[in-house]
Amino acid sequence: MPAQTQTATLADAIDIGFLDLAKSEFFITPGGFTGLRYKGAEHKRVSLRRALPIGSPGSYISVADHENKEIGIIKSIDALTGKQLEIVTAELGHRYYCPEISEIKSVKDKLGYVYMELTVIVDGKKHAKNCAVKDVNRNIRMLDSDRLIIFDVDGNRYLIHSLEALDKKSLKRLEPYLF
């Protein structure tokens, strides 16, 4: 195999596939889905997934078509502006619903599920929210020494930014599930 062909093959094999955002246009379809026009193709329904949802939520966003075939990766949403940024941010917000828990009002353990009544903060406003958690060993996780994330049976995520800042009653209700 000639050296030039070998180099091209190696480069293709390790190409991460970043989207050229200057040639990308995100849009909203009449049905309300997020679409993408890229390299002469129109993808009428794309999904966006964060590679690092907790550590770097605005970096390395995978863009895949309706068959889940990756089109490319957005290196950083900071490179987007105006309507493009608005569309991408809204789509990520729908997929990664992750309100902050400000209070745990009650916790009940029934038939392998843990049912929680929570007060969550969304867009700076407090809301009551109920959730069910199955397999607490896997779905209530410490992110570091003071942060915790809870995954419910519907795939929603709830974040506690600081266990230390949580009120004592809430912490006491949560303690049996902290491992």
Side-chain angles (χ1 to χ4, degrees):
M1 181 181 279
Q4 189 175 17
T5 305
Q6 202 170 21
T7 305
T9 305
L10 179 59
D12 291 340
I14 62 173
D15 179 24
I16 293 176
F18 289 118
L19 288 178
D20 180 351
L21 295 178
K23 297 177 182 175
S24 303
E25 181 190 355
F26 290 94
F27 63 95
I28 302 299
T29 68
F33 297 108
T34 299
L36 172 67
R37 291 182 191 94
Y38 186 65
K39 290 188 174 179
E42 184 171 297
H43 305 277
K44 293 188 178 178
R45 188 170 185 180
V46 295
S47 60
L48 305 176
R49 293 187 185 93
R50 292 178 166 132
L52 305 167
I54 306 292
S56 295
S59 301
Y60 304 106
I61 310 297
S62 172
V63 181
D65 66 14
H66 70 283
E67 294 176 347
N68 208 26
K69 182 177 180 240
E70 189 169 71
I71 300 164
I73 296 173
I74 299 170
K75 190 171 185 177
S76 173
I77 63 171
D78 293 339
L80 297 168
T81 58
K83 189 72 172 166
Q84 296 296 291
L85 178 61
E86 186 180 311
I87 291 169
V88 168
T89 303
E91 179 66 22
L92 289 170
H94 294 303
R95 177 174 285 279
Y96 293 95
Y97 174 72
C98 189
E100 178 184 354
I101 296 173
S102 66
E103 181 182 6
I104 300 171
K105 294 187 173 274
S106 76
V107 177
K108 294 180 178 120
D109 204 336
K110 281 187 185 173
L111 302 170
Y113 288 87
V114 173
Y115 297 91
M116 297 182 171
E117 289 181 44
L118 309 169
T119 300
V120 297
I121 300 173
V122 178
D123 297 328
K125 296 178 184 171
K126 290 187 177 187
H127 303 275
K129 179 73 177 161
N130 294 329
C131 74
V133 179
K134 185 170 176 66
D135 190 6
V136 294
N137 293 333
R138 295 178 73 194
N139 292 311
I140 298 178
R141 296 187 218 158
M142 295 298 297
L143 295 173
D144 54 38
S145 63
D146 195 39
R147 290 186 315 149
L148 178 103
I149 192 163
I150 298 171
F151 298 90
D152 74 7
V153 294
D154 296 322
N156 296 315
R157 301 158 183 85
Y158 303 90
L159 189 61
I160 296 176
H161 286 290
S162 173
L163 287 171
E164 197 172 285
L166 203 59
D167 66 277
K168 289 181 184 184
K169 286 182 181 179
S170 294
L171 191 56
K172 189 162 183 76
R173 291 178 184 119
L174 188 61
E175 275 180 342
Y177 307 99
L178 301 178
F179 304 105

